Amino acid sequence: MVNVLVIGSGGREHALSWKLSQSSKVDKVFSAPGNGGTENNIPIDIDDLNALAEFAKKNNCFTVVGPEAPLAAGIVDKFNQLNLKIFGPSQKAAQLESSKIWAKNFMKRNGIQTAKFEIFDDAKKAEEYVRSLDYNVVVKADGLASGKGVIVCNDADDAIAAINTILVKKTFGNAGNRILVEERIDGIEASYIALCDGMTAIPMASSQDHKRIFDDDKGPNTGGMGAYSPTPVIDNVLAEKIQNKIINKTIQSMKNEGIVFKGFLYAGVMIRDNEPYVLEYNVRMGDPECQPITMRMDFDLYDYLVASINGTLSTMPKITWKNQSSVCIVLASEGYPESYPKDEVITGFDLVPKNTMVFHAGTKKQDGKIFSSGGRVLGVTALGDTLKSAISNAYIAAEKISWSHKYYRKDIGKKGLSYL
Ligand SMILES: Nc1ncnc2c1ncn2[C@@H]1O[C@H](COP(=O)(O)OP(=O)(O)O)[C@@H](O)[C@H]1O
Ligand SMILES: [Mg+2]
């Protein structure tokens, strides 16, 4: 038996630790630092790589990294040097996410379909460029900005304001030393996630996130307000296209460039005229997509994460998914993604039906009670025989939970229904 150490503190990490703890090969699952819903929390910060390695070594842990920051900081390389088992991409492979400019250049030189773009470090030149275009753009900070460094623009004035925010005001610090100005693609957005071992990429179930804070995709972008799986937006034909033209091509091109990609490879895609364009790569599971996806897993996730590290995914049995839909509704604190109140007591967990999971994110446990501690607080995740019933099951459960400034979207999954 092995212990598992899950690094991170969001809903994604709670879902991963929940699933991994079901493996017959896994003894104890630790979380660093974890949240009010995870067990065996270890008070080590996600960027204290030395302390994490020491803990993993002492406790015979197989380590699973949830968020991007430790991957970008090279946690996998460090653990490998110490002969510690860890699931995820190396620092070099993580560049697909840690530098949007690196990723765009990579796609360009390898012929992977993505929006047209230019790179700037000078605001004046970026402004001139934007004024010369006859289409709308999206302005992106190069580096990691916790999902806030991308500004979708409706006209040139928007774009110029965005350029100033990132390059002049430095709102995202050094992550905004350089920017991408790319063509805005208007289409349907979906997430495609595959588990990779450097050669083989096994697709996870399809899913769709809901990025904006308000219903009908209004308001600013957030980390994600809810997700469901599978999504009819990605039919079999499109799935095959994404798998071949994007995922396999990415893994193969990385290999050609001497980089072995192990871990979850997430392609955020925009679909226009039935063609997928990569908006970005993530080198880990999405949050909240991870929550509905893990709930549908009908296989031992631990076995497959081990196979990813060992480069043996092609020898593993075909994975199977519960033939049901799953919906995750994010319960947030009112005011998110800007400022919001914290430390509010949350009640109603005991009223949630048994087969519905309430994954914790921004919560903490104190004296046996759960308090809010972040913008995205909980991810209520339910299964159903159809998307419609999964939506209804998730909302029934979401309504049972209360705190003073609870806020959630009322239309999670609706986009999918319109396809059926
Ligand atoms: N080229 C594009 N065209 C249209 N929308 C885009 C484009 N690039 C990004 N977006 C929108 O902005 C969101 C955030 O951009 P993304 O590149 O995924 O960055 P991050 O997740 O790091 O914030 C996307 O989910 C998508 O809705
Ligand atoms: Mg994104």
Side-chain angles (χ1 to χ4, degrees), residues 210-254:
H210 297 62
K211 295 265 174 223
R212 305 298 186 102
I213 185 71
F214 301 125
D215 283 19
D216 298 318
D217 293 337
K218 300 265 163 54
N221 267 330
T222 69
M225 294 302 293
Y228 67 97
S229 170
T231 174
V233 170
I234 300 183
D235 60 18
N236 290 341
V237 177
L238 193 56
E240 210 176 298
K241 238 184 220 176
I242 298 174
Q243 180 71 29
N244 292 328
K245 290 170 85 166
I246 295 174
I247 300 293
N248 292 346
K249 203 164 176 183
T250 299
I251 300 297
Q252 187 57 48
S253 306
M254 289 290 267

Tab-separated table of all heavy atoms in Angstrom, residues 210-254:
chain	number	residue	atom	x	y	z
A	210	HIS	N	-18.164	26.872	-17.393
A	210	HIS	CA	-18.933	28.114	-17.528
A	210	HIS	C	-18.092	29.208	-16.894
A	210	HIS	O	-18.059	29.327	-15.674
A	210	HIS	CB	-20.283	27.995	-16.822
A	210	HIS	CG	-21.177	26.940	-17.397
A	210	HIS	ND1	-20.853	25.610	-17.406
A	210	HIS	CD2	-22.385	27.044	-18.008
A	210	HIS	CE1	-21.837	24.931	-17.995
A	210	HIS	NE2	-22.765	25.781	-18.368
A	211	LYS	N	-17.413	29.981	-17.739
A	211	LYS	CA	-16.361	30.887	-17.248
A	211	LYS	C	-16.878	32.172	-16.611
A	211	LYS	O	-16.250	32.717	-15.717
A	211	LYS	CB	-15.474	31.341	-18.421
A	211	LYS	CG	-14.695	30.244	-19.056
A	211	LYS	CD	-13.311	30.169	-18.469
A	211	LYS	CE	-12.583	28.965	-19.005
A	211	LYS	NZ	-11.857	28.288	-17.951
A	212	ARG	N	-17.985	32.686	-17.141
A	212	ARG	CA	-18.419	34.015	-16.694
A	212	ARG	C	-19.179	33.927	-15.387
A	212	ARG	O	-19.767	32.910	-15.066
A	212	ARG	CB	-19.304	34.680	-17.762
A	212	ARG	CG	-18.669	34.759	-19.136
A	212	ARG	CD	-17.408	35.608	-19.129
A	212	ARG	NE	-16.900	35.780	-20.481
A	212	ARG	CZ	-17.078	36.900	-21.201
A	212	ARG	NH1	-17.734	37.917	-20.698
A	212	ARG	NH2	-16.590	36.977	-22.418
A	213	ILE	N	-19.204	35.048	-14.670
A	213	ILE	CA	-19.801	35.038	-13.333
A	213	ILE	C	-21.331	34.956	-13.373
A	213	ILE	O	-21.942	34.332	-12.518
A	213	ILE	CB	-19.321	36.265	-12.503
A	213	ILE	CG1	-19.821	36.211	-11.058
A	213	ILE	CG2	-19.729	37.592	-13.150
A	213	ILE	CD1	-19.190	35.186	-10.196
A	214	PHE	N	-21.972	35.575	-14.389
A	214	PHE	CA	-23.433	35.624	-14.386
A	214	PHE	C	-24.058	34.672	-15.414
A	214	PHE	O	-23.386	34.228	-16.349
A	214	PHE	CB	-23.916	37.047	-14.664
A	214	PHE	CG	-23.412	38.061	-13.662
A	214	PHE	CD1	-22.729	39.198	-14.094
A	214	PHE	CD2	-23.597	37.876	-12.294
A	214	PHE	CE1	-22.253	40.138	-13.183
A	214	PHE	CE2	-23.121	38.806	-11.374
A	214	PHE	CZ	-22.440	39.934	-11.822
A	215	ASP	N	-25.322	34.414	-15.245
A	215	ASP	CA	-26.076	33.557	-16.165
A	215	ASP	C	-25.954	34.071	-17.602
A	215	ASP	O	-25.757	35.272	-17.822
A	215	ASP	CB	-27.562	33.541	-15.771
A	215	ASP	CG	-27.806	32.651	-14.552
A	215	ASP	OD1	-26.829	32.363	-13.834
A	215	ASP	OD2	-28.956	32.270	-14.311
A	216	ASP	N	-26.138	33.177	-18.543
A	216	ASP	CA	-26.047	33.490	-19.972
A	216	ASP	C	-24.689	34.073	-20.346
A	216	ASP	O	-24.586	34.910	-21.261
A	216	ASP	CB	-27.168	34.456	-20.400
A	216	ASP	CG	-28.531	33.820	-20.181
A	216	ASP	OD1	-28.672	32.620	-20.482
A	216	ASP	OD2	-29.439	34.511	-19.675
A	217	ASP	N	-23.665	33.661	-19.617
A	217	ASP	CA	-22.286	34.075	-19.916
A	217	ASP	C	-22.108	35.586	-19.919
A	217	ASP	O	-21.426	36.152	-20.762
A	217	ASP	CB	-21.820	33.478	-21.257
A	217	ASP	CG	-21.688	31.963	-21.160
A	217	ASP	OD1	-21.519	31.456	-20.028
A	217	ASP	OD2	-21.766	31.294	-22.192
A	218	LYS	N	-22.713	36.229	-18.919
A	218	LYS	CA	-22.534	37.677	-18.767
A	218	LYS	C	-21.522	37.934	-17.647
A	218	LYS	O	-21.306	37.089	-16.779
A	218	LYS	CB	-23.885	38.322	-18.382
A	218	LYS	CG	-24.985	38.100	-19.424
A	218	LYS	CD	-25.078	39.263	-20.391
A	218	LYS	CE	-25.847	38.945	-21.666
A	218	LYS	NZ	-27.188	38.410	-21.466
A	219	GLY	N	-20.951	39.153	-17.702
A	219	GLY	CA	-20.033	39.562	-16.630
A	219	GLY	C	-18.626	39.062	-16.871
A	219	GLY	O	-18.339	38.422	-17.882
A	220	PRO	N	-17.733	39.385	-15.936
A	220	PRO	CA	-16.314	39.054	-16.122
A	220	PRO	C	-16.016	37.554	-16.026
A	220	PRO	O	-16.829	36.789	-15.489
A	220	PRO	CB	-15.622	39.806	-14.979
A	220	PRO	CG	-16.669	40.039	-13.958
A	220	PRO	CD	-17.975	40.135	-14.685
A	221	ASN	N	-14.857	37.174	-16.544
A	221	ASN	CA	-14.394	35.792	-16.417
A	221	ASN	C	-14.054	35.457	-14.975
A	221	ASN	O	-13.651	36.314	-14.203
A	221	ASN	CB	-13.132	35.594	-17.262
A	221	ASN	CG	-13.447	35.091	-18.663
A	221	ASN	OD1	-14.440	34.390	-18.872
A	221	ASN	ND2	-12.611	35.429	-19.608
A	222	THR	N	-14.232	34.195	-14.650
A	222	THR	CA	-13.882	33.700	-13.309
A	222	THR	C	-13.000	32.471	-13.487
A	222	THR	O	-12.685	32.088	-14.611
A	222	THR	CB	-15.148	33.248	-12.557
A	222	THR	OG1	-15.653	32.064	-13.210
A	222	THR	CG2	-16.220	34.314	-12.553
A	223	GLY	N	-12.664	31.820	-12.402
A	223	GLY	CA	-11.953	30.541	-12.494
A	223	GLY	C	-12.838	29.446	-13.059
A	223	GLY	O	-12.356	28.402	-13.495
A	224	GLY	N	-14.144	29.690	-13.091
A	224	GLY	CA	-15.103	28.690	-13.585
A	224	GLY	C	-16.246	28.544	-12.585
A	224	GLY	O	-16.011	28.354	-11.400
A	225	MET	N	-17.483	28.663	-13.068
A	225	MET	CA	-18.652	28.685	-12.182
A	225	MET	C	-19.459	27.397	-12.210
A	225	MET	O	-20.482	27.282	-11.543
A	225	MET	CB	-19.557	29.863	-12.550
A	225	MET	CG	-18.938	31.215	-12.290
A	225	MET	SD	-18.460	31.440	-10.555
A	225	MET	CE	-20.072	31.443	-9.765
A	226	GLY	N	-18.976	26.424	-12.993
A	226	GLY	CA	-19.701	25.160	-13.041
A	226	GLY	C	-19.298	24.423	-14.301
A	226	GLY	O	-18.762	25.024	-15.241
A	227	ALA	N	-19.503	23.132	-14.308
A	227	ALA	CA	-19.126	22.334	-15.472
A	227	ALA	C	-19.984	21.081	-15.498
A	227	ALA	O	-20.551	20.688	-14.472
A	227	ALA	CB	-17.645	21.957	-15.411
A	228	TYR	N	-20.057	20.488	-16.694
A	228	TYR	CA	-20.787	19.228	-16.796
A	228	TYR	C	-20.061	18.309	-17.760
A	228	TYR	O	-19.238	18.746	-18.575
A	228	TYR	CB	-22.245	19.479	-17.239
A	228	TYR	CG	-22.356	19.995	-18.646
A	228	TYR	CD1	-22.626	19.133	-19.704
A	228	TYR	CD2	-22.171	21.346	-18.916
A	228	TYR	CE1	-22.709	19.603	-21.007
A	228	TYR	CE2	-22.251	21.827	-20.213
A	228	TYR	CZ	-22.520	20.952	-21.255
A	228	TYR	OH	-22.582	21.413	-22.535
A	229	SER	N	-20.354	17.030	-17.638
A	229	SER	CA	-19.719	16.014	-18.480
A	229	SER	C	-20.707	14.864	-18.694
A	229	SER	O	-21.408	14.497	-17.756
A	229	SER	CB	-18.472	15.476	-17.773
A	229	SER	OG	-17.963	14.338	-18.434
A	230	PRO	N	-20.791	14.277	-19.891
A	230	PRO	CA	-20.106	14.681	-21.120
A	230	PRO	C	-20.804	15.877	-21.717
A	230	PRO	O	-21.924	16.204	-21.320
A	230	PRO	CB	-20.275	13.450	-22.022
A	230	PRO	CG	-21.581	12.860	-21.606
A	230	PRO	CD	-21.680	13.105	-20.129
A	231	THR	N	-20.169	16.523	-22.690
A	231	THR	CA	-20.830	17.623	-23.365
A	231	THR	C	-21.145	17.261	-24.810
A	231	THR	O	-20.276	16.782	-25.540
A	231	THR	CB	-20.000	18.917	-23.332
A	231	THR	OG1	-20.664	19.900	-24.128
A	231	THR	CG2	-18.583	18.730	-23.861
A	232	PRO	N	-22.398	17.482	-25.221
A	232	PRO	CA	-22.772	17.201	-26.610
A	232	PRO	C	-22.112	18.168	-27.592
A	232	PRO	O	-22.162	17.936	-28.802
A	232	PRO	CB	-24.295	17.387	-26.605
A	232	PRO	CG	-24.587	18.229	-25.423
A	232	PRO	CD	-23.523	17.959	-24.419
A	233	VAL	N	-21.483	19.229	-27.066
A	233	VAL	CA	-20.775	20.176	-27.939
A	233	VAL	C	-19.654	19.450	-28.685
A	233	VAL	O	-19.336	19.767	-29.820
A	233	VAL	CB	-20.204	21.329	-27.080
A	233	VAL	CG1	-19.251	22.204	-27.874
A	233	VAL	CG2	-21.340	22.150	-26.495
A	234	ILE	N	-19.046	18.470	-27.993
A	234	ILE	CA	-17.993	17.690	-28.641
A	234	ILE	C	-18.575	16.332	-29.023
A	234	ILE	O	-18.686	15.431	-28.204
A	234	ILE	CB	-16.775	17.514	-27.698
A	234	ILE	CG1	-16.217	18.900	-27.323
A	234	ILE	CG2	-15.695	16.659	-28.367
A	234	ILE	CD1	-14.973	18.858	-26.457
A	235	ASP	N	-18.969	16.200	-30.284
A	235	ASP	CA	-19.469	14.899	-30.741
A	235	ASP	C	-18.270	14.029	-31.150
A	235	ASP	O	-17.120	14.462	-31.055
A	235	ASP	CB	-20.481	15.064	-31.881
A	235	ASP	CG	-19.870	15.755	-33.094
A	235	ASP	OD1	-18.628	15.805	-33.217
A	235	ASP	OD2	-20.641	16.254	-33.935
A	236	ASN	N	-18.555	12.798	-31.599
A	236	ASN	CA	-17.447	11.876	-31.880
A	236	ASN	C	-16.508	12.370	-32.965
A	236	ASN	O	-15.292	12.186	-32.875
A	236	ASN	CB	-17.994	10.501	-32.268
A	236	ASN	CG	-18.616	9.812	-31.063
A	236	ASN	OD1	-18.318	10.192	-29.924
A	236	ASN	ND2	-19.471	8.836	-31.296
A	237	VAL	N	-17.089	12.986	-33.978
A	237	VAL	CA	-16.273	13.468	-35.095
A	237	VAL	C	-15.316	14.563	-34.612
A	237	VAL	O	-14.110	14.542	-34.892
A	237	VAL	CB	-17.178	14.017	-36.228
A	237	VAL	CG1	-16.339	14.593	-37.359
A	237	VAL	CG2	-18.101	12.921	-36.725
A	238	LEU	N	-15.873	15.483	-33.844
A	238	LEU	CA	-15.061	16.577	-33.323
A	238	LEU	C	-14.021	16.059	-32.329
A	238	LEU	O	-12.857	16.483	-32.339
A	238	LEU	CB	-15.977	17.612	-32.672
A	238	LEU	CG	-15.374	18.966	-32.350
A	238	LEU	CD1	-14.773	19.592	-33.598
A	238	LEU	CD2	-16.439	19.873	-31.759
A	239	ALA	N	-14.427	15.096	-31.495
A	239	ALA	CA	-13.499	14.525	-30.515
A	239	ALA	C	-12.289	13.923	-31.222
A	239	ALA	O	-11.145	14.095	-30.799
A	239	ALA	CB	-14.199	13.473	-29.663
A	240	GLU	N	-12.556	13.228	-32.318
A	240	GLU	CA	-11.465	12.607	-33.040
A	240	GLU	C	-10.536	13.656	-33.657
A	240	GLU	O	-9.317	13.519	-33.646
A	240	GLU	CB	-12.034	11.693	-34.124
A	240	GLU	CG	-11.104	10.526	-34.416
A	240	GLU	CD	-11.712	9.574	-35.412
A	240	GLU	OE1	-12.775	8.994	-35.092
A	240	GLU	OE2	-11.152	9.438	-36.510
A	241	LYS	N	-11.162	14.713	-34.146
A	241	LYS	CA	-10.383	15.819	-34.702
A	241	LYS	C	-9.468	16.429	-33.632
A	241	LYS	O	-8.285	16.671	-33.869
A	241	LYS	CB	-11.354	16.905	-35.190
A	241	LYS	CG	-11.205	17.252	-36.656
A	241	LYS	CD	-12.141	18.397	-37.008
A	241	LYS	CE	-12.775	18.161	-38.367
A	241	LYS	NZ	-13.762	19.204	-38.725
A	242	ILE	N	-10.032	16.680	-32.469
A	242	ILE	CA	-9.241	17.298	-31.396
A	242	ILE	C	-8.134	16.339	-30.945
A	242	ILE	O	-6.986	16.728	-30.744
A	242	ILE	CB	-10.141	17.707	-30.203
A	242	ILE	CG1	-11.166	18.751	-30.658
A	242	ILE	CG2	-9.296	18.236	-29.052
A	242	ILE	CD1	-12.203	19.118	-29.609
A	243	GLN	N	-8.503	15.065	-30.817
A	243	GLN	CA	-7.514	14.075	-30.382
A	243	GLN	C	-6.332	14.012	-31.362
A	243	GLN	O	-5.179	14.037	-30.937
A	243	GLN	CB	-8.190	12.697	-30.267
A	243	GLN	CG	-7.266	11.571	-29.821
A	243	GLN	CD	-6.855	11.674	-28.350
A	243	GLN	OE1	-7.589	12.199	-27.511
A	243	GLN	NE2	-5.660	11.187	-28.018
A	244	ASN	N	-6.621	13.968	-32.656
A	244	ASN	CA	-5.542	13.807	-33.638
A	244	ASN	C	-4.818	15.104	-33.945
A	244	ASN	O	-3.598	15.164	-33.898
A	244	ASN	CB	-6.094	13.218	-34.941
A	244	ASN	CG	-6.550	11.788	-34.724
A	244	ASN	OD1	-5.976	11.054	-33.909
A	244	ASN	ND2	-7.606	11.392	-35.400
A	245	LYS	N	-5.598	16.157	-34.263
A	245	LYS	CA	-4.970	17.386	-34.738
A	245	LYS	C	-4.392	18.235	-33.616
A	245	LYS	O	-3.574	19.117	-33.872
A	245	LYS	CB	-5.998	18.234	-35.517
A	245	LYS	CG	-6.394	17.618	-36.850
A	245	LYS	CD	-7.574	18.333	-37.464
A	245	LYS	CE	-7.171	19.555	-38.260
A	245	LYS	NZ	-8.288	20.040	-39.109
A	246	ILE	N	-4.874	18.003	-32.399
A	246	ILE	CA	-4.389	18.839	-31.298
A	246	ILE	C	-3.605	18.011	-30.272
A	246	ILE	O	-2.417	18.219	-30.076
A	246	ILE	CB	-5.550	19.624	-30.654
A	246	ILE	CG1	-6.102	20.622	-31.696
A	246	ILE	CG2	-5.076	20.355	-29.398
A	246	ILE	CD1	-7.325	21.364	-31.278
A	247	ILE	N	-4.261	17.074	-29.629
A	247	ILE	CA	-3.612	16.362	-28.517
A	247	ILE	C	-2.431	15.515	-28.991
A	247	ILE	O	-1.297	15.701	-28.542
A	247	ILE	CB	-4.633	15.490	-27.753
A	247	ILE	CG1	-5.761	16.349	-27.177
A	247	ILE	CG2	-3.932	14.679	-26.657
A	247	ILE	CD1	-5.370	17.308	-26.084
A	248	ASN	N	-2.694	14.594	-29.920
A	248	ASN	CA	-1.599	13.721	-30.367
A	248	ASN	C	-0.483	14.510	-31.031
A	248	ASN	O	0.700	14.221	-30.836
A	248	ASN	CB	-2.127	12.658	-31.340
A	248	ASN	CG	-3.034	11.649	-30.648
A	248	ASN	OD1	-3.065	11.592	-29.411
A	248	ASN	ND2	-3.775	10.873	-31.407
A	249	LYS	N	-0.874	15.523	-31.766
A	249	LYS	CA	0.119	16.341	-32.452
A	249	LYS	C	0.965	17.121	-31.438
A	249	LYS	O	2.171	17.308	-31.626
A	249	LYS	CB	-0.597	17.311	-33.401
A	249	LYS	CG	0.282	17.800	-34.519
A	249	LYS	CD	-0.569	18.407	-35.611
A	249	LYS	CE	0.327	18.999	-36.690
A	249	LYS	NZ	-0.465	19.658	-37.730
A	250	THR	N	0.346	17.540	-30.377
A	250	THR	CA	1.077	18.268	-29.332
A	250	THR	C	2.092	17.345	-28.658
A	250	THR	O	3.269	17.699	-28.505
A	250	THR	CB	0.092	18.834	-28.280
A	250	THR	OG1	-0.796	19.744	-28.938
A	250	THR	CG2	0.830	19.558	-27.160
A	251	ILE	N	1.632	16.164	-28.256
A	251	ILE	CA	2.513	15.215	-27.566
A	251	ILE	C	3.689	14.834	-28.472
A	251	ILE	O	4.846	14.801	-28.050
A	251	ILE	CB	1.727	13.929	-27.199
A	251	ILE	CG1	0.560	14.261	-26.277
A	251	ILE	CG2	2.623	12.882	-26.561
A	251	ILE	CD1	0.966	14.833	-24.958
A	252	GLN	N	3.365	14.568	-29.754
A	252	GLN	CA	4.397	14.161	-30.704
A	252	GLN	C	5.381	15.301	-30.980
A	252	GLN	O	6.594	15.097	-30.975
A	252	GLN	CB	3.724	13.686	-32.010
A	252	GLN	CG	4.681	13.069	-33.011
A	252	GLN	CD	5.454	11.876	-32.429
A	252	GLN	OE1	4.866	10.987	-31.820
A	252	GLN	NE2	6.783	11.881	-32.589
A	253	SER	N	4.847	16.507	-31.145
A	253	SER	CA	5.723	17.659	-31.401
A	253	SER	C	6.610	17.945	-30.197
A	253	SER	O	7.777	18.320	-30.348
A	253	SER	CB	4.901	18.902	-31.728
A	253	SER	OG	4.006	18.647	-32.784
A	254	MET	N	6.057	17.792	-29.005
A	254	MET	CA	6.861	17.981	-27.795
A	254	MET	C	8.009	16.972	-27.807
A	254	MET	O	9.167	17.321	-27.552
A	254	MET	CB	6.012	17.750	-26.526
A	254	MET	CG	4.998	18.815	-26.228
A	254	MET	SD	5.709	20.378	-25.699
A	254	MET	CE	5.691	20.187	-23.930
